[in-house]
Amino acid sequence: MPTPSRAPALSKSRIQSGRQCEKRLWLEMNQPDAVEWGGAAQQRLDEGTRFGVLAQDLLGGGTLIAADHRQYPQALADTQAELRKSRELCPRLFEAAFEYQSVRVRVDAFERRARGDTLIEVKSTTTVKEEHIWDCAIQTWVARGAGRKVDCVVLAHVNREFVYRREGDFRGLLTLQDITHEVETKLPEIPRIVAKLKRVASGPVPDIRTGSHCLQPYECPCRSHCQTFELAPPAFPVDLLPHAADLVDTLRADGYLDLRKVPMDRLSNPRHLRIAQATRSGKPYVSPKLSAVLDALTFPRYYLDFETIAFVTPRWLGTRPFQQVPFQFSCHIEAGKGTLHHRQFLDLSGAAPMAGFVDALLDAVREKGPILVWNKSFEATRIKELARMFPAQEVALHALIERMVDLLPIYREHYYHRDMRGSWSIKAVLPTVAPDLDYASLEIGDGDAAQAGYLSAIDANASEVERETVRLNLLAYCERDTLAMVRLARWRPT
């Protein structure tokens, strides 16, 4: 890769990229085609942007600096023009632009007070995180360097307790938290970080391999690009061991990259031992108790799976920020051995789907028989939320939870195939038992794609043909999940 002749200006986001990985910063600034944002990531960015616009109203309104990142000189000039006005005429700016030592920032909200300025950063999260404090520290350093007297720093984030009660009324959605002290502790480090990252940006591409840093605090959009220049990892790398970050780091440091070559005495966790043994031998681990556990499930059986959507800013009355609202379910009903029929629900109207979902669900699962799910906590939590929203059906809904049987821990305790690669997700287990049920053949093949499909279908600009296509794809995907559970409950080792 070439060495850049001149480093572009740094920004808050670029500095944060560099703090995570200097190679990510270099690529973002010098080889932007290496950056690949997935659909789910873009969806989260869009949600955050919508929340930021709403936050401007919730903060009391003000003057918006409209010039975008491509018009940064204009944004700087507009900001200074507004700041020359009296505080009475311009008490609050949104997207104020500041620059200091070739570092550029845009401040979500900038309030002018008699004794000093308040810098407000808006985040579409429910808590203050360490990276948020760094965001604010970078902005504060630049704003002060540009001549502003910032003496208060506030993080405005989502109030997780907010419930949307009245149409258009989002008062109470925003929580303001003073983080001035935390920011002040970071400020002395900023000049050193900026100087170092300027050298990185103007130098040769850093020689950094992919690793755990690619995922913290955010998944790096350059990861796939970087991996194309690295030697292919072993077929079964040590990081397949679940919930074992420290152990994996130790094994790597000791030269063990291939799980098949790790001495068994380096492993103590029974699950890790099973994974390693099955990976090394190529023979699946099947507990002698698995068949008996599955045989104990009585009839009728109801195989149930939900699809949900969550919004930062609640869309429907009675819902909370980030609440996973069910809009679809699939239910395969096995009355006895060899008998199977299917019930389903899907609402793509864009209206609140909860009431129709509850009625259809209670009608589908009747009053007796185990309800089989994969990862009970997800469906059970959704049902508890619905029970709070519909008190007349609370008892009936809670009764469903009592009937739930989770297939995930059964398979996690009694089965492992090396092709599962350390995962017991249904999409990892299914191909090792029923390879004919292939998610790859579906247009919608995972939860992120299902959410994206739902959003596209309820978009006012979607055509009827587009909605019908999404409807059929969503029905096929959710039905595949419950049919997968049927096959896994019926499977017996030969």
Side-chain angles (χ1 to χ4, degrees):
M1 296 180 185
T3 299
S5 58
R6 184 179 66 86
L10 290 176
S11 65
K12 178 193 73 176
S13 60
R14 285 172 170 170
I15 291 172
Q16 289 289 61
S17 292
R19 288 186 59 248
Q20 178 173 349
C21 175
E22 293 176 5
K23 188 175 182 180
R24 172 179 177 175
L25 169 68
W26 194 97
L27 289 169
E28 288 180 351
M29 296 184 70
N30 300 293
Q31 195 174 335
D33 58 350
V35 179
E36 298 179 15
W37 291 106
Q42 187 60 54
Q43 180 182 325
R44 289 191 293 270
L45 289 172
D46 293 343
E47 271 285 287
T49 299
R50 285 190 286 269
F51 177 73
V53 172
L54 174 61
Q56 294 176 4
D57 289 334
L58 296 177
L59 288 169
T63 302
L64 174 66
I65 304 300
D68 63 20
H69 66 281
R70 294 164 297 184
Q71 306 162 309
Y72 205 85
Q74 185 64 51
L76 285 170
D78 292 346
T79 299
Q80 292 306 310
E82 293 298 328
L83 291 174
R84 284 193 288 270
K85 297 178 181 178
S86 67
R87 285 189 297 108
E88 289 73 19
L89 290 176
C90 180
R92 184 182 296 110
L93 284 172
F94 296 115
E95 296 299 325
F98 299 102
E99 182 170 355
Y100 176 61
Q101 293 189 9
S102 297
V103 179
R104 297 172 172 179
V105 298
R106 300 295 292 268
V107 178
D108 289 335
F110 194 79
E111 294 187 350
R112 304 167 67 194
R113 302 188 182 279
R115 295 186 177 181
D117 302 318
T118 296
L119 186 150
I120 303 175
E121 173 77 354
V122 178
K123 292 295 184 183
S124 55
T125 61
T126 58
T127 58
V128 177
K129 300 179 180 180
E130 179 75 4
E131 56 267 28
H132 300 162
I133 297 172
W134 279 106
D135 276 352
C136 291
I138 295 163
Q139 292 178 88
T140 300
W141 181 76
V142 172
R144 286 180 178 175
R148 301 306 306 182
K149 186 182 177 183
V150 177
D151 63 1
C152 181
V153 184
V154 171
L155 195 92
H157 62 84
V158 180
N159 173 14
R160 69 167 72 241
E161 302 303 322
F162 174 82
V163 180
Y164 188 31
R165 300 292 189 191
R166 292 182 294 277
E167 289 287 353
D169 186 356
F170 293 99
R171 290 174 296 176
L173 176 61
L174 207 60
T175 293
L176 303 182
Q177 189 165 339
D178 190 321
I179 60 170
T180 308
H181 173 73
E182 291 85 348
V183 166
E184 294 288 355
T185 65
K186 305 290 188 190
L187 284 173
E189 300 182 56
I190 301 296
R192 175 188 58 81
I193 293 171
V194 168
K196 180 180 180 181
L197 294 182
K198 284 180 179 178
R199 291 193 298 270
V200 169
S202 60
V205 57
D207 183 15
I208 300 174
R209 291 183 58 83
T210 56
S212 59
H213 63 276
C214 299
L215 303 174
Q216 296 296 331
Y218 305 109
E219 184 172 359
C220 177
C222 306
R223 188 183 182 200
S224 295
H225 169 84
C226 292
Q227 288 175 334
T228 62
F229 294 92
E230 298 176 354
L231 292 175
F236 298 97
V238 291
D239 58 8
L240 293 182
L241 295 173
H243 310 295
D246 291 342
L247 172 61
V248 167
D249 287 343
T250 300
L251 291 173
R252 280 177 169 168
D254 292 343
Y256 295 108
L257 304 180
D258 190 327
L259 183 56
R260 293 168 295 185
K261 297 180 180 179
V262 174
M264 287 299 176
D265 60 6
R266 297 295 299 269
L267 306 175
S268 58
N269 182 294
R271 190 163 295 142
H272 293 165
L273 285 166
R274 290 177 197 161
I275 292 173
Q277 289 165 349
T279 301
R280 181 171 294 181
S281 69
K283 297 178 180 178
Y285 166 79
V286 182
S287 162
K289 297 180 181 179
L290 177 60
S291 294
V293 172
L294 295 175
D295 287 341
L297 298 171
T298 59
F299 295 97
R301 300 174 181 176
Y302 300 86
Y303 301 86
L304 186 64
D305 180 70
F306 296 170
E307 296 303 326
T308 63
I309 192 69
F311 300 99
V312 177
T313 304
R315 184 186 182 102
W316 301 300
L317 295 180
T319 61
R320 300 175 183 270
F322 298 104
Q323 181 176 337
Q324 294 284 348
V325 179
F327 63 84
Q328 178 181 12
F329 73 75
S330 170
C331 183
H332 271 93
I333 303 168
E334 191 174 21
K337 290 185 178 181
T339 65
L340 195 67
H341 67 281
H342 185 238
R343 298 284 297 274
Q344 59 190 357
F345 172 87
L346 174 61
D347 185 345
L348 295 180
S349 68
M354 298 85 74
F357 183 95
V358 168
D359 289 341
L361 177 63
L362 291 175
D363 184 59
V365 298
R366 302 301 178 178
E367 297 179 357
K368 66 176 183 177
I371 298 172
L372 279 67
V373 294
W374 198 273
N375 189 16
K376 175 181 176 179
S377 63
F378 181 79
E379 273 79 13
T381 301
R382 305 292 78 77
I383 288 176
K384 289 176 184 177
E385 292 165 349
L386 291 169
R388 288 193 291 269
M389 299 175 72
F390 299 96
Q393 292 152 304
E394 180 178 7
V395 173
L397 286 168
H398 277 286
L400 303 187
I401 300 174
E402 296 301 315
R403 293 164 54 194
M404 281 186 176
V405 176
D406 195 344
L407 286 171
L408 170 58
I410 293 175
Y411 265 82
R412 187 164 53 205
E413 183 64 25
H414 298 290
Y415 179 80
Y416 183 77
H417 189 291
R418 72 177 186 177
D419 288 347
M420 290 160 52
R421 304 182 65 80
S423 171
W424 279 269
S425 74
I426 197 166
K427 293 176 181 64
V429 178
L430 184 65
T432 71
V433 171
D436 55 302
L437 293 182
D438 184 8
Y439 283 87
S441 65
L442 301 176
E443 290 296 321
I444 290 177
D446 58 42
D448 286 344
Q451 292 186 351
Y454 175 80
L455 291 175
S456 70
I458 67 172
D459 190 301
N461 296 319
S463 68
E464 288 304 314
V465 172
E466 290 169 331
R467 287 194 183 94
E468 179 62 11
T469 299
V470 171
R471 186 184 74 84
L472 294 174
N473 289 335
L474 281 170
L475 291 174
Y477 168 64
C478 200
E479 181 179 3
R480 183 66 54 89
D481 274 343
T482 53
L483 184 57
M485 285 188 278
V486 173
R487 293 287 292 274
L488 290 170
R490 289 177 173 179
W491 182 78
R492 300 294 182 273
T494 55

